[in-house]
Amino acid sequence: MITTARTTTALTVAGVLACTALTGCGGGGSAPGALAPPPKASAPPSSSAPPSAPASDSASAPATAPASDSASASASPKKPPTMAPGPAGRTPVFERRATGGGAAGRSAEKVVALTFDADMTADQGPRAASGERFDNPDLIALLRRSKVPATVFMTGRWAEEYPAQAKAIGADPLFEVANHSYSHHAFSSPCYGLPVVEKAAMTADVRRAFTAFRKAGVRNVVPYFRFPGGCYDDAALRALAPANVTAVQWDVVSGDAFATDAGAVARQVLDGVRPGSLVVMHCTRSAAPTTEAAVRRIVPELRARGYRFVKVSELMGNGGGR
């Protein structure tokens, strides 16, 4: 568990564009073919589980999700695992499953969590209205058909722009939805040219995102938060304490933001994954156009190496983290 301050966690230099936010995710649609299904394996259940989902009006459940790598792909339990607050109540930070300690025999288990940021900043509505797509339905469809559980870190603004897709993702037991702020503004500076949230407004920004999820009818929301751009400092950890969330970072940067070479993205992930790794990617058509193609290469290769895909809640719940 991280208890000391960090100034900034970078996505990648290739993904940096001044005043440009990484963008979106999506649900529905169909992928032009699925990856091979996962090998049959006995997955130990998560030690705890996600919270009760907010009620939604006439929530339409997605097509029944196929059996997946993760035991947590079944109906999610009621309370997700979280980390204890840091010193002086600071927001705790989770990066990956610990490689030492934890339950006997769990630390070296070949599990990996793929996470996808559904980014949309508060001021990008006009761009969406003009036709720019901040979603990626084909990627979500690929994950479904390939039986890959995942955690989607969604901004509140994205849920407002794509409420039907947000609702469908949250209704699918293959996925869990986590908080990526409402505005996708930075919680520390500098952070890739993003506007900065005032310290006094940080908790309100996070809570506004949870409110947007409820209004969209999103189910299976977990109390996890990812800092926009991965940027935070000690002041941000202290300011966010009232939100009662566990911050989730990563140990493997995919480099998919603004990438044009899917093979390079896949190689970067495959070279970086270790047992217990947490990978950051994006589900977007405008700012990460190669992600789906990269995932098509990543998933079968990691399965061939004996890895099992899990959501963050399972990764955090079994064996601890750091």
Side-chain angles (χ1 to χ4, degrees), residues 4-32:
T4 57
R6 279 177 61 164
T7 54
T8 303
T9 300
L11 287 178
T12 57
V13 174
V16 175
L17 290 184
C19 301
T20 302
L22 303 178
T23 52
C25 187
S30 59

Side-chain angles (χ1 to χ4, degrees), residues 48-53 76-81 176 220-224 311 313:
S48 52
S52 301
S76 297
K78 291 185 178 180
K79 287 187 179 180
E176 62 189 9
N220 197 16
V221 177
V222 290
Y224 306 149
K311 293 178 279 192
S313 58

Side-chain angles (χ1 to χ4, degrees), residues 3-319:
T3 57
T4 57
R6 279 177 61 164
T7 54
T8 303
T9 300
L11 287 178
T12 57
V13 174
V16 175
L17 290 184
C19 301
T20 302
L22 303 178
T23 52
C25 187
S30 59
L35 300 173
K40 293 183 179 179
S42 177
S46 174
S47 59
S48 52
S52 301
S56 71
D57 299 328
S58 62
S60 56
T64 301
S68 83
D69 298 62
S70 174
S72 63
S74 59
S76 297
K78 291 185 178 180
K79 287 187 179 180
T82 55
M83 297 181 70
R90 288 174 177 80
T91 298
V93 182
F94 178 82
E95 291 182 335
R96 55 163 293 132
R97 178 178 289 179
T99 54
R106 300 288 295 162
S107 59
E109 184 186 9
K110 284 192 169 183
V111 292
V112 58
L114 299 185
T115 68
F116 298 89
D117 290 357
D119 303 342
M120 184 173 180
T121 58
D123 59 354
Q124 289 180 324
R127 289 167 57 178
S130 68
E132 185 172 349
R133 299 304 308 216
F134 297 94
D135 60 347
N136 193 339
D138 287 348
L139 173 62
I140 293 297
L142 174 64
L143 294 172
R144 282 180 172 137
R145 294 177 54 159
S146 304
K147 308 174 185 178
V148 177
T151 302
V152 178
F153 285 84
M154 190 180 293
T155 67
R157 184 63 188 86
W158 192 94
E160 290 178 345
E161 188 69 28
Y162 304 105
Q165 293 187 41
K167 184 177 180 179
I169 292 170
D172 192 332
L174 197 64
F175 307 124
E176 62 189 9
V177 174
N179 194 313
H180 196 31
S181 81
Y182 174 83
S183 62
H184 200 257
H185 290 175
F187 281 56
S188 69
S189 183
C191 188
Y192 309 116
L194 290 171
V196 180
V197 180
E198 294 296 326
K199 294 293 185 287
M202 288 181 179
T203 293
D205 189 88
V206 172
R207 288 174 174 165
R208 187 179 179 186
F210 283 128
T211 298
F213 299 162
R214 287 193 295 271
K215 289 181 177 179
V218 180
R219 299 175 181 271
N220 197 16
V221 177
V222 290
Y224 306 149
F225 172 75
R226 174 166 287 164
F227 288 98
C231 306
Y232 69 94
D233 55 18
D234 186 69
L237 295 179
R238 284 185 278 109
L240 267 188
N244 295 316
V245 293
T246 294
V248 175
Q249 295 291 96
W250 54 82
D251 68 306
V252 178
V253 178
S254 69
D256 65 339
F258 308 106
T260 57
D261 184 346
V265 172
R267 285 192 298 274
Q268 184 158 316
V269 171
L270 294 171
D271 288 345
V273 166
R274 300 293 183 271
S277 278
L278 200 158
V279 183
V280 60
M281 306 186 80
H282 299 83
C283 38
T284 171
R285 281 183 269 183
S286 61
T290 65
T291 306
E292 182 197 351
V295 169
R296 288 179 176 279
R297 303 182 188 189
I298 292 167
V299 169
E301 176 59 28
L302 286 179
R303 282 178 171 156
R305 296 180 186 181
Y307 279 89
R308 180 171 62 88
F309 294 98
V310 299
K311 293 178 279 192
V312 169
S313 58
E314 183 174 345
L315 196 71
M316 191 183 302
N318 290 317

